[in-house]
Amino acid sequence: MEVKAVTEGDILIVTPVGRVDTSTAKSFEEEVMKALAQASKVAISFSEINYISSAGLRVILMAGKKVASTQGKMALINMPEKIFAVFKMSGFDKILKIVPTLEDAKALFG
Amino acid sequence: MLIKVKNNIDEIATICDEVKKFCAENNISEQKAYDIAVIIDELATNIISYAYDDAQEHTFSITLEKDSKQVRIHLVDDGVEFNPLQNGTPDLESSLDDRKIGGLGIFLVQQLSEKVNYAREEDQNKLDVLVNVSEQQEQDQAPESEQKDQGAEPKPEQNKDNKKDEKGE
């Protein structure tokens, strides 16, 4: 799947495009992990994601674990309400940093 | 609506398109349409991934019906006997380090639906899922100020009791 990546200062902003389900999760995982290897501060933007299933949630959880293990920082930004509902239901709002905007992520990263 | 699905993971996007069409035709809100798509995606993914232990092509069916308050989703496959509801639920309270990867799919199905039933009949796995869509429709019709209060917050604790009764049948 298409995953855009741009750098702003020392933050890498990763923007996956389209839907993340079982059929696209593998390439989503590869792209996200590739991005995580490039920067210690990563913001994943959900502005262009219109659908995510548990297959996508798994990738985000793996990414969160990887970042934590390397003392990096990761924030999830621009999340539509319907997608946030699934993250909250899964308890991910307690273990991952979900903030409204890139500015909030920058403030979080310090 | 009847959807015939081949045991190929690439079918998932097609299924979701069909579900979206069904929800639009039946005036189901965007949030509920999303929930229904996730439910069907998770259950169909399970069937495609685990129901068939050979390399042959198989077809299973997904039926959607709507009455005034609910959408009924019925999935039937002729794969190996498997009750997905027997899996444990993920520990939502564990830390990031301890949180296990996986086990979320069926949990989401149970949280997003009113009832989930599994039955093994005539060498077929039959999953019957009920999704309440009336509450959301009422919200859609409510004045704007009330909608803001109600929002689209998930209510995971809402249906736990009646779901427990359905498990393990």
Side-chain angles (χ1 to χ4, degrees):
Chain A
M1 71 180 292
E2 184 189 355
V3 178
K4 299 176 191 169
V6 294
T7 305
E8 196 174 311
D10 59 350
I11 301 175
L12 183 67
I13 305 155
V14 180
T15 307
V17 181
R19 44 179 297 122
V20 189
D21 59 27
T22 313
S23 63
T24 55
K26 190 70 193 160
S27 67
F28 177 54
E29 180 185 332
E30 286 167 5
E31 294 297 326
V32 168
M33 292 304 166
K34 204 191 299 174
L36 293 181
Q38 291 168 22
S40 60
K41 294 178 184 175
V42 176
I44 301 180
S45 172
F46 285 74
S47 58
E48 296 187 45
I49 286 281
N50 53 33
Y51 177 89
I52 190 164
S53 71
S54 67
L57 294 177
R58 274 195 290 273
V59 175
I60 297 294
L61 182 61
M62 285 166 64
K65 282 173 178 281
K66 186 175 172 60
V67 168
S69 72
T70 56
Q71 273 75 51
K73 291 176 179 173
M74 183 180 88
L76 311 179
I77 62 171
N78 302 327
M79 193 177 282
E81 183 62 33
K82 61 185 181 184
I83 291 180
F84 177 68
V86 176
F87 272 76
K88 192 173 178 186
M89 197 173 283
S90 307
F92 281 20
D93 58 324
K94 293 178 191 157
I95 53 176
L96 299 170
K97 303 290 183 196
I98 305 174
V99 293
T101 65
L102 178 61
E103 293 309 309
D104 297 309
K106 285 177 183 171
L108 190 74
F109 293 159
Chain B
M1 173 183 273
L2 171 66
I3 311 170
K4 291 277 185 188
V5 187
K6 291 192 169 60
N7 58 328
N8 181 332
I9 210 69
D10 292 336
E11 295 269 275
I12 295 294
T14 312
I15 297 169
C16 286
D17 287 344
E18 290 293 312
V19 171
K20 204 172 168 183
K21 201 180 349 171
F22 171 86
C23 290
E25 284 167 1
N26 286 281
N27 299 317
I28 293 167
S29 71
E30 195 188 339
Q31 179 68 48
K32 282 290 170 186
Y34 188 86
D35 294 349
I36 292 168
V38 170
I39 289 168
I40 295 177
D41 175 342
E42 301 293 352
L43 294 174
T45 295
N46 242 16
I47 293 171
I48 292 167
S49 305
Y50 305 117
Y52 304 105
D53 50 9
D54 58 30
Q56 304 297 308
E57 183 176 286
H58 297 270
T59 303
F60 61 96
S61 70
I62 303 169
T63 312
L64 289 107
E65 293 165 357
K66 183 180 174 292
D67 64 21
S68 59
K69 292 179 180 171
Q70 291 178 315
V71 169
R72 178 182 290 273
I73 306 159
H74 201 56
L75 295 97
V76 179
D77 71 78
D78 60 355
V80 296
E81 182 171 359
F82 177 62
N83 179 358
L85 307 180
Q86 284 176 339
N87 288 349
T89 53
D91 181 4
L92 302 186
E93 301 303 321
S94 58
S95 67
L96 178 60
D97 276 352
D98 295 336
R99 186 68 191 261
K100 290 193 170 59
I101 293 171
L104 266 177
I106 295 302
F107 174 74
L108 288 180
V109 171
Q110 291 177 310
Q111 293 301 315
L112 295 171
S113 61
E114 198 71 17
K115 273 185 185 179
V116 190
N117 267 330
Y118 168 82
R120 178 74 180 179
E121 292 171 354
E122 298 160 342
D123 291 333
Q124 292 180 318
N125 295 305
K126 296 183 177 178
L127 278 161
D128 200 31
V129 186
L130 278 180
V131 183
N132 194 347
V133 291
S134 61
E135 186 190 353
Q136 192 66 35
Q137 284 173 338
E138 282 161 19
Q139 282 183 22
D140 288 349
Q141 288 158 8
E144 205 174 317
S145 57
E146 287 177 32
Q147 278 190 34
K148 276 180 190 165
D149 292 340
Q150 290 166 1
E153 283 286 296
K155 295 168 188 163
E157 56 289 309
Q158 221 174 26
N159 306 313
K160 272 182 182 164
D161 288 343
N162 70 2
K163 268 176 218 148
K164 274 178 190 160
D165 296 340
E166 302 301 328
K167 278 183 192 174
E169 278 184 6

